[in-house]
Coordinates of all heavy atoms in Angstrom, one line a residue:
M1 N 98.7 103.0 104.0 CA 99.9 103.9 103.8 C 101.2 103.2 103.5 O 101.3 102.1 103.9 CB 100.0 104.8 105.1 CG 99.0 105.8 105.4 SD 98.9 107.0 104.1 CE 97.3 107.6 104.4
A2 N 102.1 103.9 102.8 CA 103.2 103.2 102.4 C 104.4 104.2 102.1 O 104.1 105.3 101.8 CB 102.9 102.2 101.1
F3 N 105.5 103.8 102.0 CA 106.5 104.5 101.4 C 106.6 104.2 99.9 O 106.2 103.2 99.5 CB 108.0 104.2 102.1 CG 108.2 104.9 103.5 CD1 107.5 104.5 104.5 CD2 109.0 106.0 103.5 CE1 107.7 105.1 105.8 CE2 109.2 106.6 104.7 CZ 108.5 106.2 105.9
V4 N 107.2 105.1 99.1 CA 107.2 105.2 97.8 C 108.5 105.5 97.2 O 109.2 106.5 97.7 CB 106.1 106.2 97.1 CG1 106.0 106.1 95.7 CG2 104.8 105.9 97.8
I5 N 109.0 104.8 96.3 CA 110.3 105.1 95.5 C 110.0 106.0 94.4 O 109.2 105.7 93.5 CB 111.1 103.8 95.2 CG1 111.2 102.9 96.5 CG2 112.3 104.1 94.5 CD1 111.9 101.7 96.2
T6 N 110.8 107.1 94.3 CA 110.4 108.1 93.3 C 111.7 108.4 92.3 O 112.5 107.5 92.4 CB 110.1 109.5 94.0 OG1 111.3 110.0 94.8 CG2 108.9 109.3 94.9
A7 N 111.5 109.4 91.5 CA 112.4 109.6 90.4 C 113.9 109.3 90.6 O 114.5 108.9 89.7 CB 112.2 111.0 89.8
P8 N 114.5 109.7 91.7 CA 115.9 109.7 91.7 C 116.5 108.1 91.7 O 117.6 107.9 91.3 CB 116.3 110.2 93.2 CG 115.2 111.3 93.4 CD 114.0 110.6 92.8
C9 N 115.5 107.3 91.8 CA 115.8 105.8 91.7 C 116.1 105.5 90.2 O 116.9 104.4 90.0 CB 114.8 104.9 92.3 SG 115.2 103.1 92.3
K10 N 115.4 106.1 89.3 CA 115.4 105.7 88.0 C 117.0 105.7 87.5 O 117.6 106.7 87.6 CB 114.6 106.7 87.1 CG 113.2 106.4 87.2 CD 112.4 107.3 86.3 CE 111.3 106.5 85.8 NZ 110.7 107.0 84.6
D11 N 117.4 104.7 86.9 CA 118.8 104.6 86.3 C 119.8 104.7 87.5 O 121.0 104.6 87.1 CB 118.9 105.6 85.3 CG 118.0 105.7 84.2 OD1 117.6 104.5 83.8 OD2 117.5 106.6 83.8
E12 N 119.4 104.8 88.8 CA 120.5 104.6 89.8 C 120.4 103.2 90.4 O 121.5 102.5 90.4 CB 120.1 105.7 90.9 CG 121.0 105.6 92.2 CD 122.5 106.1 91.8 OE1 122.6 106.9 91.0 OE2 123.3 105.5 92.5
K13 N 119.2 103.0 90.9 CA 118.9 101.5 91.3 C 120.0 101.0 92.3 O 120.6 100.0 92.1 CB 118.8 100.5 90.2 CG 117.5 100.8 89.4 CD 117.4 100.1 88.2 CE 116.9 98.8 88.5 NZ 116.7 97.8 87.3
A14 N 120.3 101.8 93.3 CA 121.3 101.4 94.2 C 121.0 100.2 94.9 O 121.9 99.3 95.1 CB 121.5 102.6 95.3
G15 N 119.9 99.9 95.4 CA 119.2 98.7 95.9 C 119.5 98.5 97.4 O 119.2 97.3 98.0
E16 N 120.1 99.4 98.1 CA 120.3 99.3 99.6 C 119.0 98.9 100.3 O 118.9 98.1 101.3 CB 121.0 100.5 100.2 CG 122.5 100.5 100.1 CD 122.9 101.2 98.8 OE1 122.1 101.3 97.9 OE2 124.1 101.7 98.8
C17 N 117.9 99.6 99.8 CA 116.6 99.4 100.4 C 116.2 97.9 100.6 O 115.6 97.5 101.5 CB 115.6 100.2 99.6 SG 115.6 99.8 97.8
V18 N 116.5 97.2 99.5 CA 116.0 95.7 99.5 C 116.6 95.0 100.7 O 115.8 94.2 101.2 CB 116.5 95.2 98.1 CG1 116.1 93.7 98.2 CG2 115.9 95.8 96.9
D19 N 117.9 95.2 101.0 CA 118.4 94.5 102.1 C 117.9 94.8 103.4 O 117.9 94.0 104.5 CB 119.9 94.8 102.0 CG 120.6 94.2 100.9 OD1 120.1 93.2 100.2 OD2 121.6 94.7 100.3
V20 N 117.4 96.0 103.6 CA 117.0 96.4 105.0 C 115.5 96.2 105.2 O 115.0 96.3 106.4 CB 117.3 97.9 105.3 CG1 118.8 98.1 105.3 CG2 116.7 98.9 104.2
C21 N 114.7 96.0 104.2 CA 113.2 95.9 104.5 C 112.9 94.6 105.2 O 113.1 93.5 104.9 CB 112.5 95.9 103.0 SG 110.7 95.8 103.3
P22 N 112.3 94.9 106.3 CA 112.0 93.8 107.3 C 110.8 92.6 106.7 O 110.7 91.7 107.2 CB 111.5 94.3 108.6 CG 111.0 95.7 108.1 CD 111.8 96.1 107.0
V23 N 110.0 93.3 105.8 CA 109.0 92.5 105.3 C 109.1 92.1 103.8 O 108.3 91.6 103.1 CB 107.6 93.2 105.4 CG1 107.2 93.2 106.9 CG2 107.5 94.6 104.8
D24 N 110.4 92.5 103.3 CA 110.7 91.9 102.0 C 109.8 92.4 100.8 O 109.3 91.5 100.0 CB 110.7 90.3 102.0 CG 112.0 89.9 101.2 OD1 112.8 90.7 100.9 OD2 112.0 88.7 101.0
C25 N 109.4 93.7 100.9 CA 108.3 94.2 99.9 C 108.8 95.1 98.9 O 108.2 95.7 98.2 CB 107.2 94.8 100.7 SG 107.6 96.4 101.4
I26 N 110.2 95.1 98.7 CA 110.8 95.9 97.7 C 111.3 95.0 96.6 O 112.1 94.1 96.8 CB 112.0 96.9 98.2 CG1 111.5 97.6 99.4 CG2 112.4 97.7 97.0 CD1 112.5 98.4 99.9
E27 N 110.9 95.2 95.3 CA 111.3 94.4 94.3 C 111.9 95.1 93.1 O 111.6 96.4 93.0 CB 110.0 93.7 93.6 CG 109.7 92.5 94.4 CD 108.7 91.6 93.9 OE1 108.6 91.6 92.6 OE2 107.9 91.0 94.6
E28 N 112.8 94.6 92.3 CA 113.5 95.4 91.2 C 112.6 95.3 90.0 O 112.2 94.3 89.4 CB 114.8 94.8 91.0 CG 115.6 95.5 89.9 CD 117.1 95.1 89.9 OE1 117.4 94.0 90.5 OE2 117.8 95.6 89.0
G29 N 112.3 96.5 89.3 CA 111.7 96.6 88.0 C 112.6 97.0 87.0 O 113.9 97.0 87.3
K30 N 112.2 97.2 85.9 CA 113.1 97.5 84.7 C 114.0 98.7 84.9 O 115.2 98.7 84.7 CB 112.3 97.6 83.4 CG 113.0 97.6 82.1 CD 112.1 97.3 81.0 CE 112.9 97.5 79.8 NZ 112.4 98.6 79.1
D31 N 113.4 99.9 85.4 CA 114.1 101.1 85.5 C 114.2 101.5 87.0 O 114.8 102.5 87.1 CB 113.5 102.1 84.5 CG 112.0 102.4 84.8 OD1 111.4 101.6 85.7 OD2 111.4 103.4 84.4
Q32 N 113.6 100.9 87.8 CA 113.7 101.5 89.3 C 113.2 100.3 90.2 O 112.6 99.3 89.7 CB 112.8 102.7 89.5 CG 111.3 102.3 89.4 CD 110.5 103.5 89.9 OE1 109.9 104.3 89.2 NE2 110.3 103.5 91.2
F33 N 113.5 100.4 91.5 CA 112.8 99.5 92.4 C 111.4 100.0 92.9 O 111.2 101.1 92.8 CB 113.8 99.4 93.7 CG 115.0 98.6 93.5 CD1 116.2 99.2 93.0 CD2 115.0 97.3 93.8 CE1 117.3 98.4 92.8 CE2 116.1 96.5 93.5 CZ 117.2 97.3 93.1
Y34 N 110.5 99.0 93.3 CA 109.2 99.4 93.7 C 109.0 98.8 95.1 O 109.4 97.7 95.5 CB 108.2 98.8 92.8 CG 108.3 99.4 91.3 CD1 109.0 98.8 90.3 CD2 107.6 100.6 91.1 CE1 108.9 99.4 89.1 CE2 107.5 101.2 89.8 CZ 108.3 100.6 88.9 OH 108.3 101.2 87.5
I35 N 108.2 99.7 95.8 CA 107.7 99.1 97.2 C 106.2 98.6 97.0 O 105.4 99.4 96.4 CB 107.8 100.2 98.3 CG1 109.2 100.6 98.5 CG2 107.0 99.9 99.5 CD1 109.4 101.9 99.4
D36 N 105.9 97.4 97.5 CA 104.6 97.0 97.5 C 103.7 97.7 98.5 O 103.9 97.5 99.7 CB 104.6 95.5 97.7 CG 103.1 95.0 97.5 OD1 102.0 95.6 97.6 OD2 103.0 93.7 97.1
P37 N 102.9 98.6 98.1 CA 102.2 99.4 99.1 C 101.2 98.6 100.0 O 100.7 99.1 101.1 CB 101.4 100.4 98.2 CG 101.3 99.9 96.9 CD 102.5 98.9 96.7
D38 N 100.8 97.4 99.5 CA 100.0 96.5 100.4 C 100.7 95.9 101.5 O 100.1 95.3 102.4 CB 99.2 95.5 99.4 CG 98.2 96.2 98.6 OD1 97.7 97.3 98.9 OD2 98.0 95.6 97.4
I39 N 102.0 95.7 101.3 CA 102.7 95.0 102.4 C 103.6 95.9 103.2 O 103.8 95.6 104.4 CB 103.7 94.0 101.6 CG1 102.8 93.1 100.7 CG2 104.6 93.2 102.6 CD1 103.5 92.0 100.0
C40 N 104.0 97.1 102.7 CA 104.9 98.0 103.5 C 104.3 98.3 104.8 O 103.1 98.5 105.0 CB 105.0 99.3 102.6 SG 105.9 100.6 103.6
I41 N 105.1 98.3 105.9 CA 104.6 98.5 107.2 C 105.1 99.9 107.8 O 105.1 100.2 108.9 CB 105.1 97.4 108.2 CG1 106.5 97.3 108.2 CG2 104.4 96.2 107.9 CD1 107.2 96.4 109.3
D42 N 105.5 100.7 106.8 CA 105.8 102.1 107.2 C 107.0 102.2 108.2 O 107.0 103.1 109.1 CB 104.6 102.8 107.9 CG 103.7 103.4 106.6 OD1 103.9 103.2 105.5 OD2 102.6 103.9 107.0
C43 N 107.9 101.3 108.2 CA 109.0 101.4 109.2 C 110.1 102.5 108.9 O 110.7 102.9 109.8 CB 109.6 100.0 109.3 SG 110.8 99.6 108.1
G44 N 110.2 102.8 107.6 CA 111.1 103.9 107.2 C 112.5 103.4 107.1 O 113.4 104.3 106.8
A45 N 112.9 102.1 107.3 CA 114.2 101.6 107.2 C 114.9 101.9 105.8 O 116.1 102.3 105.7 CB 114.2 100.2 107.5
C46 N 114.1 101.8 104.7 CA 114.5 101.9 103.4 C 114.8 103.5 103.2 O 115.8 103.7 102.5 CB 113.5 101.5 102.4 SG 111.9 102.3 102.7
E47 N 114.0 104.4 103.7 CA 114.2 105.7 103.5 C 115.5 106.2 104.1 O 116.3 106.9 103.4 CB 113.1 106.5 104.1 CG 113.2 108.1 104.0 CD 112.3 108.8 104.9 OE1 111.9 108.2 106.0 OE2 111.7 109.8 104.5
A48 N 115.9 105.6 105.2 CA 117.2 106.0 105.9 C 118.4 105.5 105.1 O 119.4 106.2 105.3 CB 117.2 105.4 107.3
V49 N 118.3 104.5 104.4 CA 119.6 104.0 103.7 C 119.6 104.4 102.3 O 120.7 104.2 101.6 CB 119.8 102.5 103.8 CG1 119.7 102.0 105.2 CG2 118.6 101.8 103.2
C50 N 118.6 105.0 101.7 CA 118.6 105.3 100.2 C 119.7 106.4 100.0 O 119.6 107.6 100.5 CB 117.2 105.8 99.7 SG 117.3 106.2 98.0
P51 N 120.7 106.2 99.2 CA 121.7 107.1 98.8 C 121.4 108.2 98.1 O 122.1 109.2 97.9 CB 122.9 106.3 98.3 CG 122.2 105.1 97.6 CD 121.0 104.9 98.5
V52 N 120.3 108.2 97.4 CA 119.8 109.3 96.4 C 118.6 110.0 96.9 O 117.9 110.6 96.1 CB 119.7 108.8 95.0 CG1 121.1 108.3 94.4 CG2 118.9 107.5 94.8
D53 N 118.1 109.7 98.1 CA 117.0 110.2 98.8 C 115.7 110.2 97.7 O 115.0 111.1 97.5 CB 117.1 111.8 99.0 CG 118.1 112.0 100.1 OD1 118.1 111.1 101.0 OD2 118.8 113.1 100.1
A54 N 115.5 108.9 97.4 CA 114.4 108.7 96.3 C 113.2 108.2 97.0 O 112.2 108.1 96.5 CB 114.9 107.5 95.4
I55 N 113.2 107.9 98.4 CA 112.1 107.2 99.1 C 111.4 108.3 100.0 O 112.0 108.8 100.9 CB 112.6 106.0 99.8 CG1 113.3 105.2 98.8 CG2 111.4 105.3 100.4 CD1 113.8 103.8 99.5
Y56 N 110.1 108.3 99.9 CA 109.2 109.3 100.7 C 108.0 108.4 101.1 O 107.5 107.6 100.4 CB 108.8 110.4 99.8 CG 109.9 111.3 99.5 CD1 110.5 111.1 98.2 CD2 110.3 112.5 100.2 CE1 111.6 111.9 97.7 CE2 111.4 113.3 99.8 CZ 111.9 112.9 98.6 OH 113.0 113.8 98.3
H57 N 107.5 108.9 102.3 CA 106.2 108.5 102.9 C 105.2 109.0 101.9 O 105.3 110.2 101.4 CB 105.9 108.8 104.2 CG 104.7 108.2 104.8 ND1 103.6 108.7 104.7 CD2 104.6 107.0 105.4 CE1 102.6 107.9 105.3 NE2 103.3 106.8 105.7
E58 N 104.1 108.4 101.6 CA 103.1 108.9 100.6 C 102.5 110.1 101.0 O 102.1 110.9 100.2 CB 102.1 107.7 100.3 CG 101.2 107.4 101.4 CD 100.1 106.3 100.8 OE1 99.2 106.7 100.2 OE2 100.4 105.1 101.0
D59 N 102.5 110.4 102.4 CA 101.9 111.7 102.9 C 102.8 112.8 102.7 O 102.5 114.0 102.8 CB 101.6 111.5 104.4 CG 100.4 110.8 104.6 OD1 99.6 110.5 103.6 OD2 100.1 110.3 105.8
D60 N 104.2 112.5 102.5 CA 105.1 113.6 102.4 C 105.7 113.8 101.0 O 106.6 114.6 100.7 CB 106.4 113.3 103.2 CG 106.1 113.1 104.7 OD1 105.1 113.8 105.1 OD2 106.7 112.4 105.3
M61 N 105.0 113.1 100.0 CA 105.6 113.3 98.6 C 105.1 114.6 97.9 O 104.0 115.2 98.3 CB 104.8 112.2 97.7 CG 105.4 110.8 97.9 SD 104.8 109.7 96.6 CE 103.0 109.7 96.9
L62 N 105.9 114.9 97.1 CA 105.6 116.2 96.3 C 104.5 115.8 95.2 O 104.5 114.6 95.0 CB 106.8 116.7 95.5 CG 108.1 117.0 96.3 CD1 109.3 117.3 95.4 CD2 107.7 118.4 97.2
D63 N 103.7 116.8 94.8 CA 102.7 116.4 93.9 C 103.3 115.7 92.7 O 102.6 114.8 92.1 CB 102.0 117.7 93.4 CG 101.0 118.3 94.5 OD1 100.8 117.5 95.5 OD2 100.5 119.4 94.4
E64 N 104.4 116.1 92.2 CA 104.9 115.5 91.0 C 105.3 114.1 91.2 O 105.6 113.3 90.2 CB 106.1 116.4 90.4 CG 107.3 116.1 91.3 CD 108.0 117.5 91.5 OE1 107.4 118.6 91.7 OE2 109.3 117.6 91.4
D65 N 105.4 113.7 92.4 CA 105.9 112.2 92.8 C 104.7 111.4 92.9 O 104.9 110.1 92.9 CB 106.7 112.2 93.9 CG 108.1 112.8 93.7 OD1 108.6 112.8 92.5 OD2 108.7 113.2 94.7
I66 N 103.4 111.8 92.9 CA 102.3 110.9 93.2 C 102.1 109.8 92.1 O 101.7 108.8 92.4 CB 101.0 111.9 93.3 CG1 101.1 112.7 94.6 CG2 99.7 111.0 93.2 CD1 100.1 113.7 94.8
P67 N 102.5 110.1 90.9 CA 102.3 109.1 89.8 C 103.3 107.9 90.2 O 103.0 106.8 89.8 CB 102.8 109.6 88.6 CG 102.6 111.1 88.7 CD 102.7 111.5 90.2
Y68 N 104.3 108.0 91.0 CA 105.1 106.8 91.4 C 104.4 105.9 92.3 O 104.8 104.7 92.3 CB 106.5 107.3 92.0 CG 107.3 107.8 91.0 CD1 107.3 109.2 90.7 CD2 108.2 107.0 90.3 CE1 108.1 109.8 89.7 CE2 109.0 107.6 89.2 CZ 108.9 109.0 89.0 OH 109.7 109.4 88.0
L69 N 103.4 106.4 93.1 CA 102.5 105.5 93.9 C 101.8 104.6 93.0 O 101.7 103.5 93.1 CB 101.8 106.3 94.8 CG 100.8 105.4 95.8 CD1 101.5 104.4 96.6 CD2 100.1 106.4 96.7
Q70 N 101.2 105.3 92.0 CA 100.3 104.5 91.1 C 101.1 103.5 90.2 O 100.7 102.4 90.1 CB 99.7 105.5 90.1 CG 98.6 105.0 89.2 CD 97.5 104.2 90.0 OE1 97.1 104.7 91.1 NE2 97.0 103.1 89.5
K71 N 102.5 103.9 89.9 CA 103.4 102.9 89.2 C 103.6 101.7 90.1 O 103.6 100.7 89.5 CB 104.7 103.7 88.8 CG 104.7 104.3 87.5 CD 106.2 104.8 87.3 CE 107.2 103.9 86.7 NZ 108.4 104.5 86.4
A72 N 103.8 102.0 91.3 CA 104.1 100.9 92.2 C 102.9 99.9 92.4 O 103.1 98.7 92.2 CB 104.5 101.4 93.6
K73 N 101.7 100.5 92.5 CA 100.5 99.7 92.6 C 100.4 98.8 91.4 O 100.1 97.7 91.4 CB 99.3 100.5 92.8 CG 99.2 101.1 94.1 CD 97.9 102.0 94.1 CE 97.8 102.5 95.6 NZ 96.9 103.7 95.7
E74 N 100.6 99.5 90.1 CA 100.4 98.7 88.8 C 101.6 97.6 88.7 O 101.4 96.5 88.2 CB 100.6 99.7 87.7 CG 99.3 100.6 87.6 CD 99.5 101.7 86.6 OE1 100.5 101.7 85.9 OE2 98.6 102.5 86.6
F75 N 102.7 97.9 89.2 CA 103.8 96.9 89.1 C 103.4 95.6 89.8 O 103.6 94.6 89.5 CB 105.1 97.5 89.8 CG 106.3 96.6 89.7 CD1 107.1 96.5 88.6 CD2 106.7 95.9 90.8 CE1 108.1 95.6 88.5 CE2 107.9 95.1 90.9 CZ 108.4 94.8 89.6
F76 N 102.8 95.8 91.0 CA 102.5 94.6 91.9 C 101.2 94.0 91.4 O 100.8 93.0 92.0 CB 102.6 94.9 93.3 CG 104.1 95.2 93.8 CD1 104.5 96.4 94.0 CD2 104.9 94.1 94.0 CE1 105.8 96.7 94.4 CE2 106.1 94.3 94.6 CZ 106.5 95.6 94.6
E77 N 100.5 94.6 90.5 CA 99.2 94.0 90.0 C 99.6 92.9 89.0 O 98.6 92.3 88.5 CB 98.3 95.0 89.5 CG 97.4 95.8 90.5 CD 96.8 96.9 89.9 OE1 96.8 97.1 88.7 OE2 96.1 97.7 90.7
R78 N 100.8 92.8 88.5 CA 101.1 91.9 87.4 C 100.5 90.5 87.6 O 100.5 90.0 88.8 CB 102.6 91.7 87.2 CG 103.3 92.9 86.9 CD 104.8 92.7 87.2 NE 105.0 92.4 88.5 CZ 106.1 92.1 88.9 NH1 107.1 91.8 88.1 NH2 106.2 91.8 90.3
Ligands
LIG1 FE1 110.1 97.9 103.7 FE2 109.9 99.5 105.8 FE3 110.6 100.7 103.5 FE4 108.0 99.9 103.9 S1 109.1 101.5 104.9 S2 109.4 99.4 102.1 S3 108.4 98.0 105.2 S4 111.8 99.1 104.7

């Protein structure tokens, strides 16, 4: 299980989440930040500081946000 960064991050990329993640699993991509779902420990710290409410637990995502989990997995497969 992991938290996932979704659409509001696109072109916003505020980046507060990166500084608060205790396991350093958030990286900057071309158009948004990504959470590595294999490393995230579900602490929720990133969700609390995101100024655009882009971060959701994968169990709480809207159906339309599910592709963002797949995008994150693909980003870290590089
Ligand atoms: Fe990092 Fe915690 Fe956010 Fe997971 S939930 S990405 S561990 S800050």
Side-chain angles (χ1 to χ4, degrees):
M1 289 297 164
F3 277 74
V4 182
I5 300 177
T6 65
C9 183
K10 285 188 149 201
D11 303 319
E12 175 70 29
K13 294 176 78 177
E16 277 90 335
C17 54
V18 177
D19 295 332
V20 300
C21 180
V23 292
D24 224 8
C25 71
I26 305 177
E27 286 188 26
E28 185 170 3
K30 192 158 170 259
D31 58 349
Q32 66 164 100
F33 284 87
Y34 293 97
I35 293 169
D36 188 333
D38 290 334
I39 298 177
C40 175
I41 57 169
D42 278 1
C43 73
C46 55
E47 178 190 32
V49 298
C50 179
V52 293
D53 288 333
I55 305 179
Y56 295 90
H57 190 270
E58 66 179 277
D59 284 345
D60 299 328
M61 281 191 300
L62 301 172
D63 285 349
E64 69 221 46
D65 288 336
I66 290 172
Y68 286 90
L69 176 58
Q70 191 56 37
K71 264 182 90 177
K73 287 179 178 167
E74 288 168 8
F75 179 80
F76 288 101
E77 274 169 9
R78 293 164 302 167

